[in-house]
């Protein structure tokens, strides 16, 4: 069994499907590189660091955004096995990618940095894997570092998993030490996939991408039956039928093969260009004598953050719509619907799992599809109860009701912070200042503590993680998950130019923070909007009450330049005439806000609103 592309079907008992879960920068991609080299899939000539990170953004930032799968040959005691490895993201915003990867596996390698110990997001992904009843293989990486403390962190991992410290494997992905032994343990401990190869075909779609030349490429995991080229297949959710033009495996690039059997992971191509016909979580079956019951699929991700995306040039709106259609094929957590802004024109209201997800999505739209975009200030979704007991869901400040609001409910999240115990006091101070409620705390070891808080989602969106890192000298790690909603005293702050509200600058904030938002936005706009021939007031208002004001001074012509001496009444006459002109101009003049001002004021990369949260 030297080349798997030539083999029709591999017996399920020789297949092992596993993923790697870890925190950012704990060595997932480096470990995957060593496995690719060790199994001979990747030659030294083709090698490059972070081989499975295919996108430029991933390589530049040093983070994994998309889960990637690859097929590896491995021999144990003279028996050839097939390993399907899925390299998963570590950031909290891409937990949905991790949850989908776990559905396609029977085991998970829990990778922890031997110099840092387990982090909050790794703990969250570990609980996801335990819920799926996956076999967990604990591994300490970077044991070659001078700062590594493998004995200390092996004991910590054993305490969390209820195992012995000797059960924790020790590897160095950089040097390759211990990687061969890890692959042997994967074969020995991870269960083989279970399925019936004589039953009607059922395969789960766990990912898909759009290829401009070959159409939609669908990635599947076969549960029952077999899939071969030229078969007629049916998507059970969309009811669409296709002929398979190509079936293949990823090892490490796409390679056509004779078919896929039970437990195998690969890809399908039908030549279809309609991106709506290949839905993540759908079940693929045969058109004739196909399955009648679909696989359970995946839970639908719930957006946590909403923001508007608008093209700089209004004529690019159709291109933005097509780009979002194609990107959603590759990113199932992205949601969007059309919206219109008086200031920005036609665009889309998009839902994201977090701020980094927003930033990555905008970056991919600009790079991969050549678009220039403006994104409005992000906000969460609110539930407003009116005086007449009717309810309204608000994802855009422009939809906030003008009056008659009885109660407002905002989403809350359950935060887990892991940090050295010396910083407990400063973390408590930060969380309580953000309207947080302490749920409990546990000591993972003598020097490390896990703290659990309930916090409003809006309070952790912008600078919470930066403040947490600065107060703990960079040692704290953060993870959060949805935890329902709570009633809060929230108000809509409008920004007025010459008494006219500009919808793009409106925001929904807590009443205690309204003055701060109004003052900062008015000050920012005073610097960004060019001076006019007349005085322009910039005001922040809650309803009809003004809470902050800045003024853009008028450009004044020196009308007294031609007066050389003479009676003072002549000068006063000229100044009064100018004053009347300015007054008349102010009543009929319009303030044109330049596009650059919108970009700068609404930019999520603004220092006051950091968006690149690598928590």
């Amino acid at each position: 069994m030297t080349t798997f592309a030539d083999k029709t079907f591999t017996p399920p008992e020789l297949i092992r499907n596993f993923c790697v879960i870890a925190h950012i920068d704990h060595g997932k991609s480096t470990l995957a590189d060593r496995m690719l080299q060790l199994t001979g899939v990747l030659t030294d000539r083709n090698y490059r660091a972070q081989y499975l990170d295919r996108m430029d953004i991933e390589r530049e930032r040093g983070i994994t955004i998309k889960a990637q799968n690859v097929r590896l040959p491995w021999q144990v005691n003279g028996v050839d096995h097939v390993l399907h490895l899925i390299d998963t993201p570590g950031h909290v915003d891409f937990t949905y990618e991790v949850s989908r990867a776990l559905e396609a596996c029977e085991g998970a390698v829990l990778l922890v940095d031997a110099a840092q110990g387990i982090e909050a997001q790794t703990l969250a992904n570990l609980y996801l894997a335990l819920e799926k009843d996956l076999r967990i293989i604990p591994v300490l990486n970077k044991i070659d570092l001078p700062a590594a403390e493998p004995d200390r962190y092996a004991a910590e991992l054993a305490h969390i998993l209820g195992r012995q410290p000797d059960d924790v494997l020790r590897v160095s992905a950089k040097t390759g030490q211990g990687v061969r032994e890890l692959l042997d343990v994967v074969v020995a401990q991870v269960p083989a996939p279970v399925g019936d190869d004589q039953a009607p075909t059922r395969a789960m779609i766990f990912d898909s991408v759009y290829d401009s030349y070959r159409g939609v490429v669908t990635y599947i995991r076969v549960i029952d039956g077999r899939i071969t080229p030229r078969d007629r297949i049916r998507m059970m959710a969309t009811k669409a039928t296709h002929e398979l033009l190509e079936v293949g495996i990823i090892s490490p690039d796409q390679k056509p093969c004779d078919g896929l059997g039970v437990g195998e992971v690969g890809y399908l191509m039908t030549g279809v260009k309609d991106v709506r016909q290949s839905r993540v979580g759908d079940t693929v079956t045969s058109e004739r004598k196909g399955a009648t019951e679909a696989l359970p699929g995946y839970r639908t991700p719930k957006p946590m953050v909403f923001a508007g995306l608008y093209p700089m040039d209004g004529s690019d709106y159709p291109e933005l719509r097509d780009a979002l259609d194609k990107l959603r094929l590759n990113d199932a957590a992205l949601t969007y619907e059309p919206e219109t802004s008086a200031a920005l024109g036609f665009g889309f209201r998009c839902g994201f799992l977090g701020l980094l997800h927003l930033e990555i999505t905008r970056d991919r739209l600009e790079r991969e599809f050549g678009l220039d975009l403006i994104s409005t200030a992000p906000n969460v979704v609110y539930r407003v109860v009116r005086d007449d007991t009717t309810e309204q869901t608000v994802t855009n400040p422009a939809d906030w009701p003008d009056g008659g609001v009885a109660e407002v409910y905002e989403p809350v999240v359950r935060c887990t912070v892991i940090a050295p115990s010396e910083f407990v006091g400063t973390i408590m101070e930060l969380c309580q200042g953000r309207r947080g409620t302490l749920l409990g705390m546990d000591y993972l070891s003598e020097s490390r503590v896990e703290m659990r808080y309930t916090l409003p989602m809006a309070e952790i969106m912008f600078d919470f993680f930066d403040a947490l890192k600065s107060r703990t000298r960079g040692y704290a790690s953060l993870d959060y998950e949805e935890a329902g909603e709570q009633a809060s005293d929230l108000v809509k702050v409008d920004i007025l130019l010459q008494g006219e509200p500009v919808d793009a600058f409106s925001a929904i904030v807590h009443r205690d923070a309204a003055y701060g938002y109004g003052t900062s936005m008015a000050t920012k706009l005073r610097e960004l909007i060019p001076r006019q021939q007349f005085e322009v007031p910039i005001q922040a208002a809650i309803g009809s009450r003004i809470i902050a004001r800045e003024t853009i001074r008028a450009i004044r012509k020196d009308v007294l330049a031609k007066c050389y001496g003479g009676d003072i009444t002549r000068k006063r006459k000229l100044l009064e005439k100018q004053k009347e002109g300015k007054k008349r101009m102010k009543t009929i003049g319009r303030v044109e806000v330049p596009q650059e001002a919108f970009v700068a004021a609404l930019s999520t990369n603004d220092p006051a609103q950091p968006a690149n949260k690598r928590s």
Side-chain angles (χ1 to χ4, degrees):
M1 206 151 88
T2 52
T3 58
F4 292 100
D6 300 331
K7 190 170 179 60
T8 308
F9 301 109
T10 304
E13 58 271 16
L14 299 180
I15 297 173
R16 301 291 184 272
N17 298 320
F18 73 103
C19 62
V20 182
I21 52 177
H23 192 73
I24 288 169
D25 203 32
H26 278 212
K28 291 185 304 299
S29 299
T30 309
L31 179 64
D33 288 347
R34 292 295 82 74
M35 288 180 174
L36 290 171
Q37 288 184 303
L38 196 60
T39 55
V41 168
L42 190 63
T43 62
D44 292 339
R45 180 179 179 182
N46 297 327
Y47 171 76
R48 68 166 192 270
Q50 295 174 257
Y51 190 86
L52 293 182
D53 290 344
R54 307 292 172 92
M55 287 188 280
D56 293 340
I57 306 172
E58 291 180 313
R59 306 182 67 78
E60 288 169 14
R61 292 172 180 257
I63 59 175
T64 302
I65 295 167
K66 282 293 300 174
Q68 299 286 352
N69 72 90
V70 65
R71 180 176 173 131
L72 309 170
W74 189 246
Q75 194 175 81
V76 178
N77 299 327
V79 180
D80 291 327
H81 290 78
V82 171
L83 309 182
H84 288 127
L85 160 69
I86 301 182
D87 181 23
T88 65
H91 194 280
V92 63
D93 280 13
F94 304 110
T95 303
Y96 183 61
E97 286 283 326
V98 180
S99 68
R100 287 186 6 225
L102 295 176
E103 291 280 3
C105 299
E106 283 78 33
V109 172
L110 177 67
L111 196 67
V112 174
D113 191 327
Q116 296 182 47
I118 197 162
E119 305 278 10
Q121 288 168 25
T122 318
L123 207 56
N125 289 337
L126 169 62
Y127 293 148
L128 280 176
L130 290 173
E131 283 175 19
K132 306 289 184 191
D133 203 23
L134 266 60
R135 174 67 185 180
I136 307 297
I137 301 174
V139 178
L140 283 177
N141 189 24
K142 304 186 182 181
I143 58 171
D144 57 311
L145 291 180
E149 298 179 74
D151 294 337
R152 172 187 168 188
Y153 292 122
E156 190 175 285
L157 268 177
H159 170 70
I160 292 169
L161 292 169
R163 307 255 193 100
Q164 296 300 316
D166 293 342
D167 296 337
V168 180
L169 300 180
R170 305 179 185 197
V171 306
S172 170
K174 185 177 180 181
T175 64
Q177 179 185 346
V179 178
R180 186 178 293 276
E181 290 77 8
L182 170 58
L183 289 173
D184 289 342
V185 170
V186 167
V187 172
Q189 295 189 9
V190 174
V194 178
D196 184 357
D197 62 347
Q198 301 302 318
T201 300
R202 291 197 304 173
M204 172 75 78
I205 300 177
F206 69 88
D207 203 359
S208 48
V209 295
Y210 184 81
D211 187 296
S212 55
Y213 297 103
R214 301 195 286 180
V216 178
V217 182
T218 304
Y219 295 101
I220 60 162
R221 152 83 192 265
V222 180
I223 307 297
D224 295 320
R226 298 177 174 183
I227 286 184
T228 54
R230 297 301 169 185
D231 279 353
R232 295 285 302 180
I233 60 165
R234 184 175 81 252
M235 309 292 186
M236 296 189 73
T238 61
K239 302 290 190 289
T241 59
H242 310 285
E243 181 183 356
L244 289 179
L245 302 181
E246 187 177 307
V247 176
I249 59 172
I250 298 97
S251 181
D253 299 309
Q254 293 176 353
K255 296 179 181 177
C257 68
D258 296 336
L260 298 172
V262 171
E264 292 195 272
V265 176
Y267 68 90
L268 310 175
M269 284 187 196
T270 59
V272 173
K273 299 278 182 144
D274 186 352
V275 296
R276 291 166 295 185
Q277 293 189 9
S278 185
R279 190 181 301 167
V280 168
D282 198 355
T283 303
V284 176
T285 189
S286 302
E287 186 180 14
R288 293 178 65 250
K289 298 181 180 179
T292 55
E293 188 176 338
L295 295 165
Y298 305 113
R299 62 177 179 83
T300 304
K302 189 174 180 182
M304 306 281 273
V305 174
F306 286 85
L309 287 180
Y310 295 85
M312 289 268 203
D313 185 348
S315 62
D316 286 341
Y317 176 76
E319 284 80 1
L320 175 59
R321 183 185 57 221
D322 293 343
L324 284 168
D325 281 342
K326 291 172 183 174
L327 191 62
R328 191 181 177 193
L329 189 68
N330 192 235
D331 184 358
L334 175 66
T335 63
Y336 56 92
E337 60 182 27
E339 76 167 358
T340 309
S341 164
L344 301 174
F346 292 101
F348 289 90
R349 194 78 186 165
C350 302
F352 306 94
L353 298 182
L355 281 185
L356 182 63
H357 188 205
L358 185 161
E359 189 182 351
I360 293 294
T361 301
R362 192 179 68 184
D363 212 349
R364 289 185 67 185
L365 287 169
E366 290 178 344
R367 287 183 188 220
E368 297 175 22
F369 301 97
L371 296 167
D372 287 323
L373 301 174
I374 301 173
S375 63
T376 61
N379 62 273
V380 297
V381 57
Y382 302 98
R383 183 166 66 90
V384 179
V385 180
R386 309 288 294 271
D387 287 338
D388 58 1
T389 69
T390 58
E391 292 189 2
Q392 180 180 348
T393 300
V394 176
T395 60
N396 187 348
D399 299 332
W400 190 265
D402 294 330
V405 175
E407 277 187 314
V408 182
Y409 293 88
E410 65 175 342
V412 293
V413 292
R414 185 177 183 273
C415 286
T416 303
V417 178
I418 295 180
S421 52
E422 64 190 277
F423 299 115
V424 168
T426 187
I427 294 171
M428 283 185 166
E429 182 186 358
L430 172 65
C431 293
Q432 286 165 6
R434 300 299 181 96
R435 302 187 282 139
T437 305
L438 180 65
L439 297 176
M441 55 190 289
D442 293 312
Y443 280 84
L444 301 176
S445 64
E446 292 180 3
S447 57
R448 275 159 61 85
V449 64
E450 175 191 342
M451 303 174 69
R452 296 178 298 280
Y453 267 90
T454 299
L455 282 156
M457 179 68 188
E459 292 287 346
I460 69 167
M461 270 176 50
F462 286 122
D463 60 344
F464 179 80
F465 184 66
D466 286 355
L468 179 66
K469 280 290 189 184
S470 62
R471 288 175 183 232
T472 59
R473 299 204 298 270
Y475 284 109
S477 66
L478 170 74
D479 180 66
Y480 60 85
E481 62 182 0
E482 187 186 354
E485 59 182 15
Q486 68 181 18
S488 297
D489 186 12
L490 301 171
V491 293
K492 176 188 176 185
V493 178
D494 284 313
I495 303 298
L496 314 177
L497 288 181
Q498 276 197 296
E500 292 293 324
V502 183
D503 61 344
F505 296 135
S506 299
I508 300 166
V509 297
H510 193 267
R511 193 178 294 275
D512 294 342
Y515 175 75
Y517 174 79
T519 305
S520 65
M521 186 58 82
T523 305
K524 195 188 290 187
L525 290 175
R526 188 191 65 189
E527 304 295 330
L528 294 170
I529 297 175
R531 292 171 68 186
Q532 313 287 320
Q533 291 286 339
F534 50 93
E535 190 178 82
V536 178
I538 304 171
Q539 298 166 308
I542 299 174
S544 59
R545 185 166 65 90
I546 304 299
I547 60 171
R549 172 179 171 134
E550 293 286 346
T551 303
I552 301 174
R553 298 279 303 279
I555 300 173
R556 296 181 68 91
K557 179 182 176 184
D558 188 1
V559 295
L560 304 180
K562 57 189 176 182
C563 294
Y564 298 100
D567 191 1
I568 189 65
T569 55
R570 186 179 172 214
K571 293 183 180 180
R572 282 181 181 158
K573 194 175 179 181
L574 286 168
L575 288 172
E576 285 297 323
K577 188 177 178 183
Q578 184 187 43
K579 187 177 177 183
E580 286 297 319
K582 296 283 183 191
K583 189 175 179 182
R584 187 168 64 254
M585 194 183 294
K586 188 173 182 180
T587 60
I588 63 170
R590 290 186 69 245
V591 182
E592 292 293 337
V593 182
Q595 196 84 319
E596 297 77 25
F598 278 111
V599 175
L602 300 175
S603 173
T604 52
N605 292 329
D606 188 80
Q609 302 176 344
N612 188 9
K613 298 286 188 292
R614 291 180 48 169
S615 45

